[in-house]
Structure formats: C-alpha cells, structure tokens
Amino acid sequence: MFSRLSPEAAASAILNQFQNNAKVAVLGASGGIGQPLSLLLKNSPLVSRLSLYDIAHTPGVAADLSHIETRAHVKGFLGPEQLPECLKGCNVVVIPAGVPRKPGMTRDDLFNTNASIVASLTSACAKHCPEAMICIISNPVNSTIPITSEIFKKHGVYNPNRIFGVTTLDIIRANTFVAELKGLDPARVSVPVIGGHAGKTIIPLISQCTPKVDFPQDQLEKLTGRIQEAGTEVVKAKAGAGSATLSMAYAGARFVFSLVDAMNGKEGVIECSFVRSEETESPYFSTPLLLGKNGIEKNLGIGKISPFEEKMIAEAMSELKASIKKGEEFAKNFK
C-alpha cells in the first residue's frame, strides 16, 4: 500500500532532492587542507558529487573517501589532462591548491608559486564550469582573488558575485579567542572580520560582536594582534611541518555549506568573504555578504565601527591595494 503525498509534500520532496545535489570539486584535494576538507564535504548531505583533483595521490584519496557511508559520489582526477572532466557540471569549486607557509615566511612569500597554480586552475574553471561558484583558499588570498577575477575576464565569463576569497578562518579564530576570554560557548559567538586575509589587513570588528563584549584597550589590542597573527602561531607550533590545515579545512567547509544552503534558497545566510567591492577605496575587500542563489545577493558593508577599527582600516589600505595590484599585474601577463 503506497502512502499518498499531498501536492505540497510532493513538491517539497522534489525540491529537497534537487537541493541536496551540489556537485563540488576540490582542486588540490591531496594536500594538507584538501584531504580533511574533502572528508568534511563527503560527510555532508548537501553534496551529491565530489570531484577530487590534484597532481598526485587523488585516486587513493578518492578510493579511501568513497567507502564512507554517505551519499556523495566521489571520483578522483589526476593531472592536467583530467581536469576538464573533473570540472564538468560542477556548481561549486574550492581551491586549496598550492604550497603552505614555513616558519619565517609571510603569505606573500608564497606568491610566485601559488599565483601560477591559481591562474592555471581558474583558467580551467573559466573554460569548463564558468557558472560555478569559485572559492579560493590558496594564499596570498589578497592577490589570488584579483588573479582569479582577471583570468575570468580574459575568458569573457567574469561574474564578481561568484568569486570568493575564503577568509572564514579569521572569523572562526575571532569567535574562538573571544569566547575563551569571556568564558562563552564559541558556537554562540559571532565576530565579523573585514578587510583582507593577511596580517594587519585582517580587521576583527569586536565592536560588532554578538553577544556584545567589552575589553579594556590593551586587551583589545592584544586580542586583535592574536587574531591577525593566528596563522603564524600555527606555523610556528608546527615547526616546519606546514601551516593551518585542519582549522582551514573546517573553515572552508563551513563557507561551502553556507554557499550551498543559499544556492538552495535558504534565506538570511551571511558570511564574510574577500570579494570585488565598492565599500572602500580598495577594489577588493571582505565584509559580511548576504548570499543567495546566484552568489552574492547583497554586500552588507562595514556598518557602525569604533575609532580603533576605523584606524585599522586606514592602516591596512596601502598593503591591501599593493597586494591586489600585484595579483592583477601577474594575471595580465599570465599566458
């Protein structure tokens, strides 16, 4: 005996089936971020197909993940000749590919290697999945996002609402550190972090934290410095064995899930991300974004901030603009 669905329930069932069909590609899936990120994506009911690409080890990573009892179908792709097939039909592409920082290195020191990697991978995206949401994790994000934009422009498929620099780890760190200092549950703390994704361009808006928190100025400055240099804290602790990979994978997955939720029609999904922007004199800037079916639905801007935060924005501008220009120049000369 079949149970009968009302037309509304039937429509909802069809919608749910459609909604949980995100086709996600991870480019750089065998690396320190790529493997745990792929594991978190495989674990999600939102993902129906997971395409894993790298220049080594992807068949093994894919075989391993494919045994997990969740519905996402996993397939590994190896080397540039298999990249077009990997990208075909993808809705979301996440790019953690590249080399990590070692002690004493800044994110900008990664530029020469990672700029070329990001340019060639995003060039393939522009050709084979021009409509996909592109989420860049590869550092220096302050330069790799301008590179991605310029590559998409070259191919005539640029849409600024679909290209995201994943800065979510800065937000996660801010939430965690504030919660530790105030004895709060970090899952209930929300600190917007704006600007860029390196050193002093990382600007936590503690004044906009929910729940509201107050710190004496010296403690606020120390906390802000820790959020800005948290990546270096991990690089030092790993003592040459890499940079933040596990927390970055978590942050990347959080951003992808928010994006997919919004693409599925969930309302009120807000994440900060480094994107093309007219909020400041910098052509790219991270602020809270309302996400929707087509990527950025609305840039929510900076909002009301403290004089201390205003000063940080002013002080970040020259570095931010220089990193952006460096990325744009590189992309213009990239063959």
Side-chain angles (χ1 to χ4, degrees), residues 3-17:
S3 61
R4 303 191 78 165
L5 283 178
S6 69
E8 291 80 10
S12 171
I14 291 165
L15 189 62
N16 283 339
Q17 192 181 2

Side-chain angles (χ1 to χ4, degrees), residues 28 76 92 97 190 274 296 310:
V92 179
S190 179
F274 188 67
I296 302 171
E310 275 172 19

Side-chain angles (χ1 to χ4, degrees), residues 28 31 35 41 47 55 57 79 82 84 103 132 135 161 177 179-180 191 207 230 249 253-254 270 301 308 321:
Q35 289 201 43
L41 294 171
V47 179
I55 53 170
H57 311 308
Q82 292 188 10
C135 307
N161 295 328
F177 300 165
E180 281 172 1
V191 180
S207 72
R254 169 178 144 168
I270 296 168
F308 174 63
K321 289 199 280 195

Side-chain angles (χ1 to χ4, degrees), residues 54 121 130 177:
D54 214 318
L121 292 175
F177 300 165

Side-chain angles (χ1 to χ4, degrees), residues 24-44:
V24 181
V26 179
L27 310 186
S30 303
I33 297 167
Q35 289 201 43
L37 173 61
S38 299
L39 172 62
L40 292 167
L41 294 171
K42 170 67 175 134
N43 200 35
S44 170

Side-chain angles (χ1 to χ4, degrees), residues 177-319:
F177 300 165
V178 167
E180 281 172 1
L181 289 172
K182 292 292 184 188
L184 299 165
D185 174 359
R188 296 184 182 278
V189 175
S190 179
V191 180
V193 180
I194 64 167
H197 183 58
K200 68 177 183 186
T201 70
I202 297 168
I203 302 161
L205 301 183
I206 308 289
S207 72
Q208 292 183 14
C209 177
T210 48
K212 189 161 173 41
V213 292
D214 283 306
F215 295 99
Q217 188 61 26
D218 60 335
Q219 197 180 16
L220 179 64
E221 285 175 19
K222 199 174 163 196
L223 167 63
T224 299
R226 188 182 175 205
I227 294 164
Q228 290 174 331
E229 293 304 322
T232 306
E233 194 178 298
V234 177
V235 169
K236 282 181 181 165
K238 288 195 173 181
S243 55
T245 52
L246 301 171
S247 52
M248 184 60 246
Y250 171 87
R254 169 178 144 168
F255 186 79
V256 170
F257 298 150
S258 289
L259 195 51
V260 172
D261 273 340
M263 289 162 73
N264 287 342
K266 184 175 175 182
E267 293 185 359
V269 180
I270 296 168
E271 288 283 358
C272 294
S273 179
F274 188 67
V275 296
R276 183 81 204 176
S277 170
E278 290 170 6
E279 297 301 314
T280 67
E281 64 191 77
S282 172
Y284 293 85
F285 201 83
S286 178
T287 43
L289 308 169
L290 178 65
L291 301 175
K293 292 187 179 187
N294 300 305
I296 302 171
E297 195 157 293
K298 190 180 180 198
N299 192 321
L300 301 176
I302 296 169
K304 188 173 179 294
I305 57 172
S306 71
F308 174 63
E309 291 158 353
E310 275 172 19
K311 185 165 168 276
M312 282 197 287
I313 294 175
E315 287 172 356
M317 275 302 153
S318 61
E319 183 184 324

